[in-house]
Amino acid sequence: MKRLATALFAAVCCCGVAACAHRPAAPIPERDALQAPDCITATGSAEAPTGQWTDGADRATVTVSGEPCRRTFTLATTAALRDGRPDNPRTFAERPGQATVSTGNDLFDALYALARAELREASVASIRDAAFANGEPVPCNCFETGRLWTYVWTRDTAYAVDLALAAADPLRARNSLLFKLSERRGGGDVQIVQDTGSGGSYPISTDRVVWALAAEELLKYLDGGARDEFLAVAFEAVRNTVEHDRAVVYDPRDGLYRGETSFLDWREQSYPPWTADDTVHIGTSKALSTNVLHLRALEIAATLAREHGDSELADRYAGWAQSLAIAVRERFYLPDTGLFSSFIMTPRDPAPVRRYDLLGSALAVLSGVATPEQARAAVAGYPQLPKGPPVIWPQQPGVPIYHNRAVWPFVTAYWLRAAAAVRNDAAVNLAVASLMRGAALNLSNMENFEMVTGEPWVDDGELSGPVVNSQRQLWSIAGYLAMVHDVVFGLEAGQAGIRFLPYVTRGLRHDLFGNAGSLVLNNFPYRGHRITVVVRLPPVTGNRAGAYRVGEMRLNGEVISRDFIPAATLLRRNRITIDLVDTAEQAAAITLIDDLSDHEALFGPPAPFITGMAGTRDGVRVDFAIHGAAADQVAFNVYRDGVRRAAALPGSARSWADTVEGEAPGRCYTVEAYFLSSKNTSQRAEPECYRGPANERISRVPVREASNAGKKREAISVELAPRTSGTFALRFIYRNPGPINTGITCAVKHVEVRESKTGTVAAAGYAVMPHTGAGAPGIQGRSSPLRVHLRAGVRYTVTLSSDFRAVNMSAFQHFERYTGGAGGKTGPRNQADIVAVELRPLPRRD
């Protein structure tokens, strides 16, 4: 089976769509012409205009011509377009055989057709990027990421396929996903690719596992031999990836995975300012979004293993997933806010931050990590603005608009799914309006918007933005399609069937579909079948609270249950009719921030910083400061070793004295500020640890020949003899020249600490050494720490070497075409110049 998987992987990366034709499992009955005509139109009247969207002074209008399901739309806007694109007005059309919607709302129908048209524009024969193949075209028959992002990126593609593209074009989705798998340069061990990124990519970033979500979704729409072949490839790649990640980035002490927040991969936008040039902290952090993705990857690996016939491996991965779900819920949920923290910053500060991100929160709800009560609280409690839900909260002061101060449609689509899952009609209404507004006024499914104005560009001096904003961004297109398919028509596909359970709120009925007696999704493709869904609406009433319930359902005239409809029972063309029922349901609450002029309501304070630390008779005094916040605006909290030790210190405070039972050395402190008015919290200060007077508890052993394990020698060994017994953080002082924000050459090495005399292993693990700066070979960094217990008077040998897992992305064939930096076309590079080994004591209680 491995030979089959490898062969498909090698062939499909360069095959055309026609060469990889879909093969149905069996002939499909044709006796269906009367049950499902090619085109059904919505019933209702045309009493009110439905061809425009007004937002203050801006207005989008659409005119329609042509026959039903073959309509031509001309969409115009009075809003300013980013970069003057696209053409205004813009004309596009429904195409024969393409899925269409008919809702009695011309603009709603047009925007669905626009998403379909932009998906066709994103469907390309080749891709290119300046950092690959010297900018020359690379054949793929795949989806490119956007007008300005003309390559295939793992997370963008995977989220887009998971949202809608698996259904919209499964063969092109498959090609796109397979493009992001790679064997090693010497062959074998196919894994999911982590793209270029912070500190030299993997393992600073580890969200490549999002690929598994897309693979699972795609398998729902493949059939017969095509499904079998992709299943074999996906199982091999996901298995190899989760095994690799378990060895390198899993932390058994708290049961979480390390790595940067998914999608929020521009450090200054969402992380503390002190990580901007020192990404090792990001590599040792634990992010909500990324941990939920690792959880889903493990669940999917278990499912694939079971389908593959390996029950032992399936049980192994299912056990890992169950434990991870418990750890995520326990470590990230903040009961006093009802929200999930975005990340845990560093081992020196293991308390979850009091800051939040929309994608992580949505994934926590959708994955089942959140309990039903937590899920409802998270959707109701996450702060939202009139133009949509921002992707982070609160905002970072002094940071340009991109992830910061921004609404991203694809994340809004995941939030919409989460809101529908907990039946929060207010959140659903706001998300649908945000998606429609953005596409209508900009004539395109844009990458992002400034959160207050909803504009694609806002002049704000050095903070202007969004800094980058592409038209027809792939995951934004997919997000719009998902809004229509998954919520309005309630699409849900399984591995053996499909069903539709619409979630239509009374607010949507009143504001968008007041003219309609029914809503129609025509010609939805599913495993060689076509399905037309007709949703019959109750009469409009004055009640705008809650949502309708699903009533009777029929398939080709026969009453059916809400269970999945097996693909084998479908005809070539099918009609599903669903009656919605008007039953009592209260409106759900959301946290809407409507005073958009109040800085403190939108932003967190600047991050404080620790200015000094000194021992006292009873413990430790921590000195700190803050710039850019008045004393009467803020208060401070102080944390020691991840536990809040002082709360609500006045804004005038500049120090705090800790009383420590036992020895103080090794204790680590940090400080956060919060606005008294809004309670919005800052990023935390860089933690500082008390190591005794003049840092006497820190010891360093220099490495005389500063060289990399693998550059001059396969391994380097250093002997050390601690003066005191205890638990230590062992780090390497190193140099790894390279850009902070990109690349693929974060150094990864295996570390082993043995008693020199007996050979007993005291500790083993992996040291991560990200880039320390481009063009600056003299800059030194500290590696990720290895926790080790050492005894005074015993000599130890520390060995740094390469093994099978000690690799970065430059080891994989995918990056043989990388020409944007080291580790690509010129060959793999996994090296760092080691300057010293450093020991720092950890708290005795640990």
Side-chain angles (χ1 to χ4, degrees), residues 153 185 361 368 397 532 559 682 708:
W153 307 105
R185 294 191 190 221
S361 300
T532 290
V559 175
S682 73
N708 168 67

Side-chain angles (χ1 to χ4, degrees), residues 277-280 700 731-736 768-773 777-784 833-836 838:
D277 296 320
D278 190 0
T279 60
V280 72
R700 282 191 180 186
R731 296 176 183 263
F732 297 91
I733 310 303
Y734 73 97
R735 303 184 188 94
N736 182 8
V768 177
M769 294 169 278
H771 294 171
T772 50
I779 295 178
Q780 296 181 4
R782 287 184 176 88
S783 72
S784 60
D833 293 333
I834 307 302
V835 176
E838 179 183 84

Side-chain angles (χ1 to χ4, degrees), residues 274 346 348-351 608-610 613 622 624 637-646 656 667-672 683-689:
W274 44 271
T346 167
R348 293 185 291 165
D349 174 23
F609 52 96
I610 294 175
M613 194 173 295
V622 181
F624 56 89
N637 298 323
V638 181
Y639 292 77
R640 184 186 77 194
D641 300 329
V643 178
R644 188 165 61 187
R645 299 289 296 178
W656 176 75
R667 303 288 182 177
C668 297
Y669 298 85
T670 187
V671 183
E672 69 186 8
Q683 298 283 7
R684 294 204 187 118
E686 181 173 6
E688 297 289 346
C689 305

Side-chain angles (χ1 to χ4, degrees), residues 31-241:
R31 56 182 188 281
D32 55 354
L34 295 178
Q35 287 97 331
D38 286 336
C39 181
I40 298 176
T41 58
T43 59
S45 64
E47 296 176 358
T50 60
Q52 66 182 32
W53 188 280
T54 301
D55 186 77
D58 294 327
R59 177 177 297 181
T61 57
V62 65
T63 57
V64 186
S65 62
E67 297 298 317
C69 299
R70 306 291 191 274
R71 293 170 291 181
T72 296
F73 302 96
T74 301
L75 184 62
T77 183
T78 63
L81 297 177
R82 179 70 182 251
D83 305 323
R85 295 173 181 263
D87 291 340
N88 185 13
R90 180 176 189 180
T91 299
F92 47 93
E94 295 170 330
R95 290 196 172 182
Q98 167 189 286
T100 63
V101 295
S102 176
T103 65
N105 184 315
D106 288 342
L107 184 64
F108 191 90
D109 297 358
L111 294 179
Y112 182 81
L114 173 63
R116 287 281 180 177
E118 293 202 313
L119 185 59
R120 292 194 297 270
E121 292 178 13
S123 302
V124 296
S126 62
I127 52 175
R128 66 173 69 205
D129 184 84
F132 291 86
N134 294 308
E136 294 299 314
V138 177
C140 69
N141 283 310
C142 59
F143 297 114
E144 68 178 11
T145 299
R147 187 183 73 82
L148 299 179
W149 302 97
T150 55
Y151 208 67
V152 177
W153 307 105
T154 300
R155 73 171 64 94
D156 299 62
T157 301
Y159 281 124
V161 170
D162 180 54
L163 282 167
L165 303 193
D169 190 340
L171 298 186
R172 194 173 293 273
R174 181 193 63 176
N175 290 351
S176 302
L177 291 179
L178 290 174
F179 188 80
K180 303 310 296 188
L181 299 183
S182 178
E183 295 182 331
R184 299 205 186 198
R185 294 191 190 221
D189 190 33
V190 60
Q191 293 191 31
I192 304 164
V193 168
Q194 185 76 47
D195 289 313
T196 55
S198 298
S201 188
Y202 187 88
I204 301 303
S205 301
T206 67
D207 69 338
R208 58 182 180 154
V209 288
V210 66
W211 188 97
L213 276 69
E216 179 189 49
E217 189 67 14
L218 178 58
L219 284 167
K220 299 173 183 177
Y221 292 94
L222 295 176
D223 201 11
R227 186 180 186 278
D228 294 340
E229 291 168 355
F230 184 77
L231 173 68
V233 173
F235 172 59
E236 183 179 356
V238 174
R239 179 192 63 197
N240 291 342
T241 300

Side-chain angles (χ1 to χ4, degrees), residues 497-544:
I498 193 169
R499 64 182 177 184
F500 295 85
L501 300 174
Y503 182 79
V504 178
T505 70
R506 292 186 179 89
L508 295 179
R509 172 76 165 110
H510 184 277
D511 294 341
L512 296 180
F513 309 128
N515 293 340
S518 64
L519 311 175
V520 183
L521 171 63
N522 279 297
N523 285 315
F524 184 82
Y526 174 66
R527 292 189 175 186
H529 309 270
R530 291 283 171 164
I531 302 173
T532 290
V533 182
V534 180
V535 179
R536 299 198 294 202
L537 301 173
V540 176
T541 67
N543 182 9
R544 299 182 62 175

Side-chain angles (χ1 to χ4, degrees), residues 345-398:
M345 188 60 248
T346 167
R348 293 185 291 165
D349 174 23
V353 299
R354 302 181 74 79
R355 301 175 68 86
Y356 318 99
D357 78 86
L358 192 69
L359 180 60
S361 300
L363 293 175
V365 172
L366 293 169
S367 66
V369 162
T371 66
E373 295 78 11
Q374 290 172 344
R376 288 190 291 269
V379 173
Y382 190 97
Q384 303 190 58
L385 304 184
K387 305 300 184 187
V391 295
I392 64 170
W393 193 267
Q395 309 311 305
Q396 302 261 70

